[in-house]
Each structure stands twice: as C-alpha cells, then as structure tokens.
C-alpha cells in the first residue's frame, strides 16, 4: 500500500495516468454539462412563486456545493505536503486554491443575482451563510497571495498547507450556518421522490446532473492545470526533456 | 510510517482539533449575535431592548396586509404562530412579499408596540414547486403553508 502511495506521488506517473483519463473525463463533462445546462436553463419547470428565476439556482446550487469540496481537498493535499513532502500534492494544492476562488466567486455572483430578485437585496452582511461564503473566497485569495509572497517554494508550500488546514473549519461553518443561526438564506432543500410534492424529481434530477457536471469540470480543470504545473516544475528532468523532444 | 512523520501528523491533527473546539465555543458564545433576526416570540419575551434598531423575521399573517391607496404605506402583522408583531412600512416591497410568506424586516419598535420598518426583505423557504404541483396540493387541501413549518426557529 505504501509503495502504491509513493508511486502516486510521482509527477511522471501522474502525468502519464491522467493523460489516459483526460479524454474520458472531458467527454463525460461535455455530456453532463450540455444536458444539465439545456435542461436546467431551458426546460426546468418554473417555481409557482419564483417563476423562471428559480433556474438560476440550478447553477448556483451545483457550483456552491462543489466549492465546498476545495478545502477538504486542500486539507488532504496540505497534510501530504507537510507529512510526506510529496511534490505532487503541492502542485495540486496550488491550482486547487485558484480554482476554488473562482468557484466561490461564481457562487456569490449567482446567489446575488437570485437574491436581488427574490429577497429584494444583493447582499446582507448580517446573513451568516453569505458572509461565511465570502470568507471562503478571502481565505483562498489569502492562500494564493501567501504563495506568491514567499520566494522559497518549499516554505511557500508549507505555509499554504498550514493555512489551508486551518481554513478547513470554515467549510463546517458554511454548511451549518443556515441551521445554527437565523438567516435570510434558506436551508438545503430536502429531495422528494414524489412528483406531487415540493422538491420533486422534476427539480432535483436536473440539479443532480448539474452537480455531476460541475464536479467533472472541477476534475478536468484541476488535472489540466496540474499537468502544466508538472511540466514547468520538472522541466529539467529527463522524462520531460524526452517528452518535449518527441513532440 | 516513520516516527518523524507520525509526529508531524500528530501535530497537524492536534492543531485541527484544537481549532475546531475553539471555533465551536466561539460560535456558541456568539449565537445570538450571529442570528440575522429575532422571532416575534423573542420580541414578545422582551429580548430586545427598547429603542434598539433590530431585525425581525416571521411569516406575514394571512389577511392582515393593509395597503394605503394614496401612498406606499403598508401595514401587516408578522407571526411565528406563537406571537404576533404588527409592522408598518413605507416603500417598495419585494416581489415575493405576500400573505403566508416569510419576511425579514429591519427597523425599531415605536411607543405603540408597532414595528416601524425601514426595510422589508422576502425570505424564500427551501421548497420548490411547479404551478401544477401547487395547484394539485391546493386542490387536495394540503397547501404549502400548512405542511412547511415556519422557516424561523
């Protein structure tokens, strides 16, 4: 098991394996994204009160849910960086922070759009769900700037890993903010199997497809950017030299 | 696992656990401060000091919305089905504002016990329904308001 673990940490091995997976992941992403967006934005039934504005939430819910995966991902990669000093973990972490910031931003933007129509406000500083999500964006921007501020890449990797591990607690706060405190933001919708009750399959199947699509998008983006990172950091190694001379 | 790695992992777990406990206690201590609004019951129990600017959240009681014909003034009663608080507001209401809907109002209590709101926001609950489902539920006598409990605690 430890042998497999250290093999996984080898950038060369990851580069080769991810190269084989990428076409399949991209194909799956295109299928799910197309079905999810077309269904969600063009064919989803309107809500009886919100009308077609509820369609914004197809994108919002999928991106928001996925954005909560970044800190757990950074927790795992950060721990590996600190304990086992695997170079690959830090390459993943670097790009995950940037992607996570974008996901958080899109969550806030789509949420604001919906809120401006439904709540009558773009932003409420007193809502703990909204503010904790903004805090996640700032934390990730903090991780990104911390890395660029430190010149030594090994120190930067360690500092970012530590900040990410500490920042992980915010995910729990985001998740439960709507249950622990009174907020303007609604709690998570419970899904229902019954077509004749609220939150029936007509709503959540499209949302589920969109969630899978966004997760696939996250995987593809992360793999592509990590591959670039590998080539850049390993540019002096023999296998990258060989790869470049072959192409 | 090598001893120095085990030690490092131990330190990380210790930091994470310590931080979780600290944040947990802080969140618990700040419980009321982080709440966005008070419920009508909390207001009735006198949890809000007089002259204080605060937010109140509850349902718009059915049959209580009285709009003036010559201005944007509107009076309604907000309820959590235990206590009621009358609210007066002048301004544009959000589209979602209607009877039986959750709202959050910001303002202060006047001497007559009427909440003078400077802002009214609509709160949407977690239920999504197509017009067909809503019509079917209404026909069977189980409307959304009846089986969704108050969205406030």
């Amino acid at each position: 098991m430890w042998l497999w673990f250290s093999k996984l940490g080898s950038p060369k091995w990851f580069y080769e394996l991810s190269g084989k997976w990428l076409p399949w992941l991209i194909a799956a992403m295109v299928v799910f994204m197309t079905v999810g967006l077309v269904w969600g934005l063009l064919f989803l039934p309107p809500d009886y009160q919100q009308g077609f504005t509820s369609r914004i939430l197809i994108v919002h819910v999928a991106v928001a849910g996925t954005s909560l995966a970044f800190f757990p991902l950074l927790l795992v990669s950060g721990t590996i960086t600190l304990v086992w000093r695997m170079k690959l973990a830090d390459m993943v972490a670097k790009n995950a922070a940037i992607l996570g910031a974008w996901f958080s931003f899109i969550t806030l933007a789509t949420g604001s759009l919906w809120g401006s129509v439904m709540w009558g406000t773009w932003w409420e500083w007193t809502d703990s769900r909204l503010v904790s999500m903004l805090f996640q964006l700032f934390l990730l921007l903090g991780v990104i700037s911390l890395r660029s501020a430190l010149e030594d890449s090994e120190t930067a990797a360690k500092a970012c890993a530590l900040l990410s591990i500490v920042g992980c607690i915010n995910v729990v706060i985001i998740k439960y903010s709507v249950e622990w405190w009174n907020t303007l933001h609604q709690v998570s919708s419970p899904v229902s199997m019954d077509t004749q009750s609220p939150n029936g399959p007509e709503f959540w199947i499209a949302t589920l497809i969109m969630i899978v699509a966004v997760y696939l998008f996250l995987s593809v983006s992360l793999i592509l950017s990590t591959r670039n990172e590998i080539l850049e950091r390993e540019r002096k190694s023999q296998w990258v030299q060989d790869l470049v001379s072959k192409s | 696992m090598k001893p120095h790695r085990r030690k490092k992992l131990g330190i990380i777990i210790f930091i994470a656990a310590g931080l979780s406990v600290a944040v947990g206690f802080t969140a618990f201590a700040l419980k009321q401060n982080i709440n966005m609004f008070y419920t009508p019951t909390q207001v009735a129990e006198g949890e809000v000091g007089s002259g204080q600017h605060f937010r109140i959240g509850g349902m718009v009681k059915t049959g209580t919305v009285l709009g003036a014909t010559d201005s944007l003034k509107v009076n309604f009663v907000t309820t959590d089905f235990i206590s009621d608080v009358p609210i007066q507001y002048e301004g544009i209401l959000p589209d979602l504002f209607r009877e039986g809907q959750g709202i959050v109002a910001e303002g202060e209590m006047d001497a007559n016990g009427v909440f003078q709101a400077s802002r009214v926001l609509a709160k949407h609950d977690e239920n999504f329904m197509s017009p067909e489902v809503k019509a079917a539920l209404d026909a069977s006598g189980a409307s959304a308001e009846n089986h969704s409990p108050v969205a406030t605690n």
Side-chain angles (χ1 to χ4, degrees):
Chain A
M1 193 245 165
W2 288 111
L3 187 76
W4 177 83
F5 189 58
S6 54
K7 201 175 163 191
L8 190 73
S10 141
K12 178 173 184 262
W13 183 82
F14 177 84
Y15 191 90
E16 283 163 0
L17 192 73
S18 64
K20 282 180 206 149
W21 288 357
L22 259 181
W24 298 101
L25 282 173
I26 291 172
M29 180 193 81
V30 170
V31 171
F32 274 94
M33 199 62 103
T34 314
V35 174
L37 282 178
V38 170
W39 184 355
L41 296 182
L42 300 180
F43 296 104
L44 194 80
D47 177 73
Y48 82 100
Q49 282 187 318
Q50 306 170 56
F52 292 114
T53 315
S54 62
R55 287 179 177 172
I56 297 175
L57 293 185
I58 287 286
V59 179
H60 175 73
V61 168
V63 177
T66 313
S67 81
L68 294 188
F70 283 96
F71 266 102
L73 183 68
L74 288 171
L75 172 74
V76 172
S77 58
T79 308
I80 295 175
T81 302
L82 289 177
V83 178
W84 289 278
R85 304 236 180 126
M86 254 173 223
K87 283 184 283 179
L88 182 64
D90 185 52
M91 298 182 196
V92 172
K94 182 186 172 186
N95 294 298
I98 298 167
L99 269 173
W102 277 112
F103 272 66
S104 309
F105 174 76
I106 296 169
T107 303
L108 292 168
T110 50
S112 272
L113 273 176
W114 186 82
S116 72
V117 182
M118 286 299 137
W119 295 338
T121 179
W122 291 88
W123 186 259
E124 280 303 305
W125 283 108
T126 47
D127 186 297
S128 50
R129 171 57 74 80
L130 272 56
V131 173
S132 56
M133 196 66 204
L134 183 70
F135 191 61
Q136 169 164 296
L137 173 62
F138 287 165
L139 264 177
L140 288 166
L141 291 178
V143 173
I144 296 167
S145 27
L146 184 64
R147 186 179 293 275
S148 58
L150 294 169
E151 257 170 46
D152 177 45
S153 65
E154 197 154 327
T155 318
K158 279 187 198 161
C160 288
L162 203 62
L163 182 57
S164 306
I165 291 167
V166 170
C168 223
I169 191 77
N170 190 45
V171 173
V172 184
I173 297 177
I174 296 176
K175 173 87 179 100
Y176 292 104
S177 54
V178 289
E179 286 166 32
W180 291 343
W181 303 299
N182 291 337
T183 53
L184 190 57
H185 194 290
Q186 62 262 40
V187 298
S188 304
S189 302
V191 297
S192 166
M193 294 296 160
D194 184 1
T195 49
Q196 291 305 309
S197 72
N199 308 313
E202 53 190 1
F203 286 105
W204 63 258
I205 293 177
T207 314
L208 190 67
I209 291 173
M210 204 56 208
I211 291 172
V212 175
V214 174
Y215 264 103
L216 285 167
F217 175 76
L218 157 66
S219 319
V220 168
S221 316
L222 195 58
I223 289 174
L224 281 175
S225 50
T226 305
R227 280 163 68 86
N228 277 346
E229 193 75 22
I230 290 173
L231 289 185
E232 199 189 326
R233 290 201 203 178
E234 304 276 299
R235 62 183 177 277
K236 291 197 180 103
S237 73
Q238 192 55 47
W239 70 272
V240 174
Q241 302 275 351
D242 290 346
L243 199 75
V244 173
S245 60
K246 249 190 276 173
S247 60
Chain B
M1 212 190 287
K2 288 179 188 155
H4 72 278
R5 288 190 176 153
R6 193 189 303 260
K7 198 178 153 201
K8 247 185 201 167
L9 192 62
I11 293 172
I12 292 171
I13 292 170
F14 180 76
I15 291 175
L19 200 81
S20 311
V21 172
V23 171
F25 278 128
T26 313
F28 186 74
L30 290 174
K31 190 163 181 2
Q32 191 52 62
N33 301 46
I34 298 175
N35 276 337
M36 186 179 186
F37 50 81
Y38 291 93
T39 62
T41 304
Q42 285 175 310
V43 175
E45 283 169 355
E47 281 189 37
V48 192
S50 62
Q52 198 181 324
H53 192 83
F54 68 102
R55 279 170 300 274
I56 188 167
M59 295 294 200
V60 179
K61 199 170 183 176
T62 311
T64 63
V65 181
L66 289 169
T69 47
D70 55 345
S71 73
L72 287 173
K73 266 208 182 90
V74 60
N75 284 281
F76 60 93
V77 174
T78 182
T79 180
D80 56 4
F81 303 114
I82 301 167
S83 302
D84 294 352
V85 171
I87 294 182
Q88 188 169 56
Y89 173 67
E90 184 168 2
I92 296 166
L93 291 163
D95 286 355
L96 210 55
F97 181 92
R98 62 199 68 174
E99 292 178 350
Q101 183 70 41
I103 56 107
V104 175
E106 188 177 333
E108 45 207 61
M109 279 294 191
D110 68 7
N112 306 322
V114 177
F115 188 82
Q116 297 291 337
S118 53
R119 227 154 61 101
V120 173
L121 303 174
K123 185 169 156 54
H124 193 272
D125 66 11
E126 67 278 22
N127 292 318
F128 292 79
M129 270 186 278
S130 61
E132 294 80 23
V133 171
K134 172 67 179 165
L137 282 179
D138 284 347
S140 66
S143 93
E145 280 85 28
N146 292 339
H147 65 79
S148 79
V150 197
T152 62
N153 70 357

